[in-house]
Amino acid sequence: MDSPYSLLAQDDEDIQVMKAGAMLRKVKSRSWKKQRHFRLQDDGQTIWYKSRWAGTGHSTFSVGDIEAVREGHQSEVLQSIAEEFPADLCFTLVFRGRRGNLDLVAESASDAQAWIRGIRKLVQNTESMDAKERLDQWIWDWFQKADKNKDGRMNFKEVRSLLKMMNVDMNEEYALRLFTRADKSESGCLEIEEFVQFYKMLTQREDVWNVFQNYSRDGQMLTLAELEEFLRQEQQKGEESQDHAHELIVRFEPSETAKKQGAMSIDGFQIYLVSSEGDIFDPQRLELHQDMSQPLSHYFICSSHNTYLMEDQLRGQSSQEAYIRALKRGCRCVEVDCWDGPNGEPVVYHGHTFTSKILFRDVITTLGEYAFKVSEFPVVLSLENHCSVEQQRVMAQLMDTILGDTLLRAPLNGLVPQVLPSPLDLKGKILLKAKKIGGLEESDTLNDEVTDEVTDEVSDEDEPKSPSAETLSAEDLGLGDKKSKLSRELSDLVVYCKSVHFYGFEYSCQHSKCYEMSSFSESKARKLAKEKGMEFVQHNSRHLSRVYPSGMRTDSSNYNPQELWNVGCQMVALNVQTAGLEMDLNDGLFHQNGCCGYVLKPDFMRNDSSFDPERPEEREGYKPLRLSIQVISGQQLPKLNQKEGSIVDPLVRVEIYGVSKDQAKQETSYIHNNGFNPLWNETLNFIIHVPELALVRFVVEDYDKASRNDFVGQFTVPFTCIQPGYRHIHLLSKDGTALPLSSLFVNIKISELTTETE
C-alpha cells in the first residue's frame, strides 16, 4: 500500500526539491531573520526544520495545517524587508485557525518557486482526498510513526508503543492476538498491508454493527427496502426515504456486487454514517438557503470588535492580518479605531494604550482585497473616529480612491428609505458606519448651507475602553462636554449606518430613522435585555444594534453573545482572535447559510411584537420540544499528554444555549483510559422552549479528579440545523480547526412536548 501522496511525489520535481531540503530564512521582524534547514519528510505530510546550531532539536508542522501560500511581499513582515530581499525570493505560509503565519525567504528564485508550487500541490492533494484516502493517509502516518527502526515492518514491541500513541489502553494478550491474526506471513512483524488489516480489526465498530443488525434480516446486507426502513424510522427522512436510500447506495457502497443488487454492506453503511450525509449538521442548512431579500435589521450579522488587534487590548499587535482572518471567518462587520498619525496619515490602534499602530491606508487596502472572498454580502465598516478634520478628509479620500465602486456613497436608486435595504440589494458593497451630519432627507441645497466643519460627537463607543481611562480626564477621552468636529467629506460617505446616541426605546420608536443605529456596551445591552426584552426585540426589528465588549476585558476575553441574540441584536461584536466558548457559539450560529455572515432571525423577532425571551410561553404558536441525545461512543480522540502511558479518561457534556429557560448542561460518566473507542450508551434529555434560538454544544473533556478537566474537543450546532437519528459529530479543536477522524456517535430524537411526555 502506498501513501495517497506517493503517486504525486514520484515524478514531481518540486516535491523532490522539497524532500532534498533547502536553506530558507525564517523572518519574524526586520531584525530577526534566521537561517533554517527545511525538508519535506517521507510521509509527504510533515515539513521538518531546524537551525544548524540546534543539535538534535527540530520543529515540524503538517501540510494539513496550511491554508494557503502567498507569493512575494504579501505580509507586513516581508513588506518591512522588501528593500533587502526581492519579492521573487519571498513567500508566506498561512495556517488554519489562529496560528501565526510563517514568513520565509529562499536563497534563489527557483528554490522559492519550487517550494511555493510544491506546497500548493500538497495542500490541494490533501484537500481533494475523499474519506477513504484520508483514512489511508492516516494509517500510513501511524505506520511511519510506529516503525521506529525504519525497516518498513513493525514488530510487536513497536505495535504496543503505537497503541499508547493512539490513545488505546489494551490488554496485552488481546493486542498480541490481533497482531498474530494480522501477521499472515508469520514473520513476527507486520508489513504495511498486514498493518492495514491490524488497523481494521482494531477499529471495528461494534456500535455501528449493532445498528446495522437491527435492520438487516440476513445480517450481511441491507436491502433497498431495509435501508429505506432505517431512513424512515431512525433518520426521520419520511417521504423521501426511498429515493434517498437508492442515492446512498450509489454514493457510499464500495462493493460493485452489492450496488448491482441495490443493497448496502456494513462497510458502505459505516462510510455513509461518517460522511456529511450522516453528520449531525444538516448539509442542506450548510448551503446558502435563507431568504436574503429582507431588511438588514432582520439578520444576525457576524461581527468583530477592535478587528485590528491580534492579541490583548493594552499591548497587543495591530495588524492587517487580523482583518484578513476576521473576513475569512465570515465577519461582515469589522471595526477601525482611527487617530491622527504623522505626515498627515491617519493610523489605526487602540488609543491610550501601548498597542502598535498601522496605517489606515493599509487597512482599507486589505479590506478592498479581502472583503468579498468568502461572502458576497455587504461588509459594514464600523468607524471609531478620533481624527482631526484634516485627517478625516484624508480618510474619506483614501476610502473613495481605494474602495472605488464597492463603497456605498448614496442611497440605492437615490431614494430615502422607509426600511433598510436587504443583503441581496447590497451585494458587493461596503457600508460605512459612523457619525453623520444631518440625515438622508436633507436636500443638496440645505447641505450646501451647512459649514464644512460641524460640531458633533465623533466617538461611537461612549464608555472607557480600558482601566487606564480612569486616570485620564474626560477631555482626553473625548467624553463629557468635549465636542469634536466632523468633516463633511467623511459624513457624506455614511448612508445606511448613521451612528446615533440611544435615548430609549420610546424615543427611538417615535423619532429614529431606519438608517440610524446605536452601539451598546455589553453591560448596558444586558441590562436592557433583562429589563425590557420585548421592547429590545421590537427595536431590533426596525433598527440595527451593535454590542461591544466591556473596556475591562483587556485580555481580549469575550462575553456570551447568546443573551444579546435572544433580543435580536444583529451586530454582537466579539474579539475573534480569542478562542473559547463564546467564539464556539458564534462559529456555530454562522456556520449555516453558506457561512455568508448573515443568518435570518426567526419570524417572531422580525414581525411579531409579542415575543419576550424571558416569557417564551406567552408567544403565539409556542411549541416546546423534547431533545433526547443518546451518546453512544467516541472515535479516535486526540491525545492531550504526549507522555507514554498517558491516556485520556473522556466524558461528554451537552450544553444548551438559548433563552433563559433553555440554558442547561448534562454530562455522561467518564470512561477510564480509552480515548480510541470509548463507549458510553448514556441518554441525556432536554426541553427546548425556543428551538429557533437554541444552540447545542457538544464538549469532550479529559476527566481529572484532582483538578479541572482538560478540554479535548467540541462542536456547536444550531438546534434548527440538527439532523435527527444516528449521527456523527466531527470534533473541532479549541482553535476551531478540525481534529482528523475524532468524532462522537450519537442517536438524536426530537419530539413535541405533550402532557403525556412531560
Side-chain angles (χ1 to χ4, degrees), residues 300-318:
F300 296 120
I301 303 172
C302 189
S303 302
S304 160
H305 170 250
N306 285 359
T307 311
Y308 47 88
L309 290 177
M310 298 284 282
E311 300 155 18
D312 68 79
Q313 306 283 313
L314 292 179
R315 290 180 170 79
Q317 177 193 1
S318 301

Side-chain angles (χ1 to χ4, degrees), residues 138 635-636 731 738-743:
W138 201 78
Q635 293 76 44
Q636 298 167 53
L731 296 172
L739 294 170
L741 302 183
S742 294
S743 63

Side-chain angles (χ1 to χ4, degrees), residues 494-729:
V494 178
V495 183
Y496 293 122
C497 298
K498 176 185 176 181
S499 295
V500 297
H501 184 77
F502 179 72
Y503 293 104
F505 294 124
E506 189 177 345
Y507 178 90
S508 168
C509 185
Q510 293 177 8
H511 302 288
S512 293
K513 310 293 185 186
C514 68
Y515 56 82
E516 293 179 330
M517 63 174 293
S518 300
S519 289
F520 304 87
S521 68
E522 63 172 281
S523 55
K524 185 174 181 181
R526 288 164 78 173
K527 188 171 186 292
L528 288 169
K530 196 169 186 64
E531 295 175 0
K532 298 185 175 183
M534 189 189 298
E535 290 173 81
F536 214 165
V537 172
Q538 293 167 1
H539 173 85
N540 286 326
S541 68
R542 301 182 300 270
H543 300 281
L544 293 171
S545 292
R546 178 175 172 274
V547 183
Y548 57 91
S550 160
M552 300 301 112
R553 295 185 181 275
T554 55
D555 58 353
S556 293
S557 61
N558 281 309
Y559 56 98
N560 187 333
Q562 183 68 52
E563 50 194 312
L564 289 318
W565 292 329
N566 288 344
V567 289
C569 293
Q570 299 87 355
M571 301 174 182
V572 182
L574 298 178
N575 292 306
V576 298
Q577 72 271 36
T578 306
L581 161 67
E582 298 82 9
M583 276 307 298
D584 291 345
L585 298 180
N586 196 77
D587 291 346
L589 176 68
F590 289 105
H591 192 49
Q592 62 184 306
N593 204 32
C595 298
C596 75
Y598 286 82
V599 169
L600 189 63
K601 294 195 280 189
D603 59 353
F604 56 80
M605 302 187 87
R606 295 180 265 133
N607 308 309
D608 183 8
S609 60
S610 65
F611 176 67
D612 183 344
E614 292 300 312
R615 289 183 285 278
E617 66 281 358
E618 295 177 7
R619 172 167 69 93
E620 188 179 339
Y622 165 68
K623 275 187 183 174
L625 297 176
R626 178 181 293 280
L627 171 65
S628 174
I629 301 171
Q630 182 191 10
V631 181
I632 301 170
S633 63
Q635 293 76 44
Q636 298 167 53
L637 304 176
K639 186 169 179 174
L640 302 180
N641 189 331
Q642 294 309 312
K643 289 180 187 172
E644 191 167 340
S646 172
I647 294 170
V648 299
D649 301 330
L651 64 82
V652 178
R653 187 169 60 254
V654 177
E655 304 170 348
I656 310 294
Y657 295 88
V659 297
S660 300
K661 280 196 169 183
D662 287 340
Q663 304 282 354
K665 294 180 184 181
Q666 289 184 47
E667 63 186 42
T668 67
S669 55
Y670 71 91
I671 305 295
H672 181 66
N673 267 13
N674 187 353
F676 190 72
N677 55 1
L679 200 63
W680 288 280
N681 274 323
E682 295 181 36
T683 301
L684 311 176
N685 290 301
F686 302 91
I687 294 171
I688 312 293
H689 296 272
V690 187
E692 299 89 342
L693 287 174
L695 292 168
V696 184
R697 183 172 184 251
F698 296 83
V699 190
V700 181
E701 289 183 344
D702 179 13
Y703 173 77
D704 191 326
K705 63 183 176 186
S707 62
R708 191 174 177 181
N709 293 349
D710 290 320
F711 176 90
V712 174
Q714 71 85 33
F715 190 78
T716 304
V717 55
F719 182 91
T720 53
C721 296
I722 288 176
Q723 292 201 100
Y726 286 97
R727 303 294 172 187
H728 277 89
I729 299 165

Side-chain angles (χ1 to χ4, degrees), residues 281-345:
F281 207 118
D282 185 343
Q284 292 183 335
R285 299 278 183 152
L286 287 173
E287 305 298 323
L288 183 68
H289 67 279
Q290 293 181 340
D291 177 7
M292 302 305 289
S293 63
Q294 305 229 6
L296 280 178
S297 56
H298 288 185
Y299 298 83
F300 296 120
I301 303 172
C302 189
S303 302
S304 160
H305 170 250
N306 285 359
T307 311
Y308 47 88
L309 290 177
M310 298 284 282
E311 300 155 18
D312 68 79
Q313 306 283 313
L314 292 179
R315 290 180 170 79
Q317 177 193 1
S318 301
S319 171
Q320 295 155 242
E321 199 64 44
Y323 286 92
I324 297 173
R325 291 185 181 187
L327 291 164
K328 281 163 76 174
R329 291 185 82 90
C331 285
R332 298 287 87 191
C333 176
V334 296
E335 185 178 13
V336 186
D337 275 17
C338 298
W339 300 79
D340 280 358
N343 307 316
E345 283 264 4

Side-chain angles (χ1 to χ4, degrees), residues 183-221:
D183 181 18
K184 301 290 186 190
S185 60
E186 299 182 358
S187 63
C189 290
L190 302 183
E191 296 185 5
I192 183 64
E193 298 295 347
E194 293 172 324
F195 177 67
V196 170
Q197 288 306 310
F198 175 80
Y199 177 84
K200 282 188 174 177
M201 287 188 277
L202 190 66
T203 55
Q204 276 181 346
R205 294 280 303 274
E206 195 173 323
D207 49 356
V208 173
W209 176 253
N210 289 338
V211 178
F212 184 84
Q213 290 291 301
N214 287 341
Y215 284 86
S216 171
R217 287 181 183 83
D218 67 1
Q220 301 299 312
M221 291 282 178

